[in-house]
Amino acid sequence: MSWEQLSERQPRVVKTLTNSVKKDRLAHAYVFEGGHGTGKMDMALQIAKTFLCRETTSVEPCGVCKDCKRIDSGNHPDVHIVQPEGQSIKIDQIRGLQKEFAYHGMESDKKVYIVEHADRMTVQAANSLLKFLEEPTSSTIAFLLTEQVHRLLETILSRSQVVSFSPLPPEQLMKSLQEEDISLPMAAMAAALTSDKSEALEICRQEWFAQARDKVIQLTEELKTRPSQVFVSLQDNWLSFFKEKDQLDNALSLLLIWYKDLLFIQLSEPEHLVFVDQRQALEQQALHTSQKRISEKMLAILTAKQRLGANVNPQLLMEQLVLRLREG
Ligand SMILES: [Zn+2]
């Protein structure tokens, strides 16, 4: 990967880090924090390459020298990666690291270590690492990667430069979900509900969400074709399925996305659709309404979401919402 490629995902982070490289001011310890799949490891390895490549004279590693190639293949003798063994990172793993670092580098004096899921260090391991961070040498860079920065010791954070990684934009999250064999409609839905990849994968793998999605499509269809029947079906198909408060909240989020999609159809921007496989139904529904009406309905759904948060009875809430959605 090049800085330019990384910049597509994390422009702000790349700018900060490449500036430090240019000024020869890389920190001794970094905490990279951000959701799953935001590119923390790729970024750490890129810095490692820039730091260890002996061919390059710019901020970009050459990519072809022995150092670069060894980092790419994951067997550079001066780049150490620590990952949890089972549930946690144990003190022996950190001690092993310290032992490695007590020797001079194999190729030069420079060394890089990367701790993945640094929040899973045991207290003993974290304290042991802390001693290490307290005695920085100019030839060492530490990267602590975490999705849960609040679980790191304050003392570790204060000795590191904390770099926050932005959540993935929906298009990239969708692409990366599809690479894991998730269908386009499910990937689009998950990416509209969350920007965290682990959470998105969980959504896609739950049968419940696929069913919830169908219920939402069904409700909008009934609102249009059998408005007088919709209260019956609200009882039989909707409230019996979305029993818990957070389930109903998710359902309302999906309903909101449906109306947003209607708006995109009206605006002739189908490339933004989330219900990608429902274009025909959306186009049919969009024929009989206006942008103004769609906006009003979206507002009604948002209000219902707020009222749900304020513990209004779900049945009452849905009945009132359906009245608003049925009009015009
Ligand atoms: Zn190189």
Side-chain angles (χ1 to χ4, degrees), residues 53 62-63 65 68:
C53 173
C62 79
C65 72
C68 286

PDB file of all heavy atoms in Angstrom, residues 53 62-63 65 68, ligand 1:
ATOM      1  N   CYS A  53      12.972   1.288   5.804  1.00  0.00           N
ATOM      2  CA  CYS A  53      13.463   1.216   4.424  1.00  0.00           C
ATOM      3  C   CYS A  53      14.742   2.039   4.296  1.00  0.00           C
ATOM      4  O   CYS A  53      14.773   3.206   4.679  1.00  0.00           O
ATOM      5  CB  CYS A  53      12.401   1.730   3.445  1.00  0.00           C
ATOM      6  SG  CYS A  53      13.002   1.853   1.742  1.00  0.00           S
ATOM      7  N   CYS A  62      10.318   2.485  -0.459  1.00  0.00           N
ATOM      8  CA  CYS A  62      10.555   2.081  -1.850  1.00  0.00           C
ATOM      9  C   CYS A  62       9.671   0.909  -2.263  1.00  0.00           C
ATOM     10  O   CYS A  62       9.271   0.800  -3.410  1.00  0.00           O
ATOM     11  CB  CYS A  62      12.032   1.760  -2.070  1.00  0.00           C
ATOM     12  SG  CYS A  62      12.516   0.130  -1.457  1.00  0.00           S
ATOM     13  N   GLY A  63       9.376   0.029  -1.315  1.00  0.00           N
ATOM     14  CA  GLY A  63       8.481  -1.092  -1.608  1.00  0.00           C
ATOM     15  C   GLY A  63       9.154  -2.312  -2.215  1.00  0.00           C
ATOM     16  O   GLY A  63       8.532  -3.363  -2.330  1.00  0.00           O
ATOM     17  N   CYS A  65      12.845  -3.033  -1.635  1.00  0.00           N
ATOM     18  CA  CYS A  65      14.081  -3.458  -0.974  1.00  0.00           C
ATOM     19  C   CYS A  65      13.795  -4.635  -0.027  1.00  0.00           C
ATOM     20  O   CYS A  65      12.660  -5.007   0.208  1.00  0.00           O
ATOM     21  CB  CYS A  65      14.704  -2.295  -0.209  1.00  0.00           C
ATOM     22  SG  CYS A  65      13.791  -1.859   1.282  1.00  0.00           S
ATOM     23  N   CYS A  68      11.507  -3.593   2.991  1.00  0.00           N
ATOM     24  CA  CYS A  68      10.101  -3.418   2.597  1.00  0.00           C
ATOM     25  C   CYS A  68       9.440  -4.769   2.342  1.00  0.00           C
ATOM     26  O   CYS A  68       8.331  -5.037   2.796  1.00  0.00           O
ATOM     27  CB  CYS A  68       9.990  -2.549   1.349  1.00  0.00           C
ATOM     28  SG  CYS A  68      10.308  -0.799   1.682  1.00  0.00           S
TER      29      CYS A  68
HETATM   30 ZN    ZN B   1      12.360  -0.119   0.893  1.00  0.00          ZN
END
